[in-house]
Amino acid sequence: AQSVTQLGSHVSVSEGALVLLRCNYSSSVPPYLFWYVQYPNQGLQLLLKYTTGATLVKGINGFEAEFKKSETSFHLTKPSAHMSDAAEYFCAVSDHTNAGKSTFGDGTTLTVKP
Amino acid sequence: DTGVSQDPRHKITKRGQNVTFRCDPISEHNRLYWYRQTLGQGPEFLTYFQNEAQLEKSRLLSDRFSAERPKGSFSTLEIQRTEQGDSAMYLCASSLVQGYYGYTFGSGTRLTVV
């Protein structure tokens, strides 16, 4: 069984400040990890993914995430927030033995203050 | 390719009526997933297809829900005898067989049962 916990349902930062969105996962086999972004009334868009190899992965819009197996974490960061980053962010886990089915966290809403 | 398309975008129906949603995935994608999302929650798995075969169905999916993917192309999700608890965003996603590519989501169908 897989699960995802996103710590903090709401995060607020000032424009230009560091963005840090936390994700911890549980998986009985090596996981695939994903971050998605969702804008109001839209579907989810893939930001970045970790499958194997380099543990620091870069995605679109300047976001990156680091896979830390010892901490079962996959936190999402961006050095400098932009107003357009305001959205809801979802962390997801899947494994190669489960037919690619992903389990999602409950999301973190990011607010960016001017 | 225009991505994953869902129709309709919004549906308001009276309790007890049947509704059907359609999803057109990316043509090269073998896998098609249906998820449900309610306010403040992450997407919740409902069912998935590989080509035309429905390979898994969530225990959350009551007998009132049925999904098809004839000829392995578009898919339909039907809800019979709708209840107010069915009100949610229904998301369709598609992917290649290898799960590590992540999903491409449609914009979703928002169902309101009155």
Side-chain angles (χ1 to χ4, degrees):
Chain A
Q2 304 163 100
S3 65
V4 173
T5 301
Q6 291 186 239
L7 299 173
S9 58
H10 291 86
V11 170
S12 181
V13 301
S14 298
E15 192 173 20
L18 171 72
V19 175
L20 171 61
L21 304 183
R22 300 178 187 273
C23 172
N24 287 87
Y25 71 90
S26 172
S27 178
S28 55
V29 297
Y32 297 153
L33 294 160
F34 307 88
W35 276 99
Y36 292 85
V37 61
Q38 186 177 33
Y39 297 100
N41 297 313
Q42 293 188 26
L44 284 71
Q45 179 184 5
L46 182 65
L47 269 181
L48 49 77
K49 61 181 185 285
Y50 168 79
T51 54
T52 58
T55 56
L56 182 64
V57 293
K58 296 184 185 298
I60 62 173
N61 302 338
F63 284 94
E64 60 183 38
E66 187 171 11
F67 170 59
K68 291 187 176 180
K69 184 179 177 180
S70 61
E71 298 177 9
T72 60
S73 69
F74 190 57
H75 302 329
L76 182 70
T77 60
K78 182 174 180 177
S80 175
H82 191 272
M83 297 296 290
S84 62
D85 294 327
E88 191 159 20
Y89 293 80
F90 292 93
C91 181
V93 62
S94 71
D95 71 71
H96 51 281
T97 64
N98 201 20
K101 185 177 77 177
S102 286
T103 299
F104 289 81
D106 284 336
T108 297
T109 300
L110 176 65
T111 301
V112 182
K113 299 175 290 186
Chain B
D1 199 332
T2 55
V4 178
S5 300
Q6 291 189 247
D7 184 68
R9 290 293 306 274
H10 304 274
K11 178 72 177 178
I12 300 174
T13 191
K14 291 184 178 179
R15 190 175 51 184
Q17 297 293 305
N18 299 344
V19 294
T20 300
F21 311 140
R22 178 181 170 122
C23 172
D24 287 89
I26 292 174
S27 55
E28 305 85 57
H29 286 180
N30 312 83
R31 292 221 175 122
L32 186 149
Y33 301 81
W34 285 98
Y35 280 78
R36 178 170 63 190
Q37 186 181 23
T38 52
L39 200 61
Q41 304 287 317
E44 189 176 44
F45 172 78
L46 293 179
T47 188
Y48 93 94
F49 294 82
Q50 181 162 315
N51 300 314
E52 66 274 10
Q54 187 175 17
L55 297 186
E56 188 174 343
K57 206 172 156 180
S58 168
R59 286 170 290 176
L60 299 170
L61 215 59
S62 77
D63 291 343
R64 297 183 297 107
F65 288 71
S66 62
E68 294 183 339
R69 192 183 182 196
K71 302 179 184 176
S73 56
F74 71 92
S75 176
T76 58
L77 177 68
E78 181 184 16
I79 309 174
Q80 296 182 326
R81 305 182 302 281
T82 52
E83 301 172 356
Q84 287 191 319
D86 297 330
S87 295
M89 175 78 90
Y90 290 84
L91 295 167
C92 175
S94 68
S95 75
L96 293 167
V97 170
Q98 297 88 340
Y100 50 72
Y101 288 104
Y103 294 168
T104 301
F105 278 90
S107 296
T109 294
R110 182 167 296 285
L111 173 67
T112 303
V113 181
V114 297

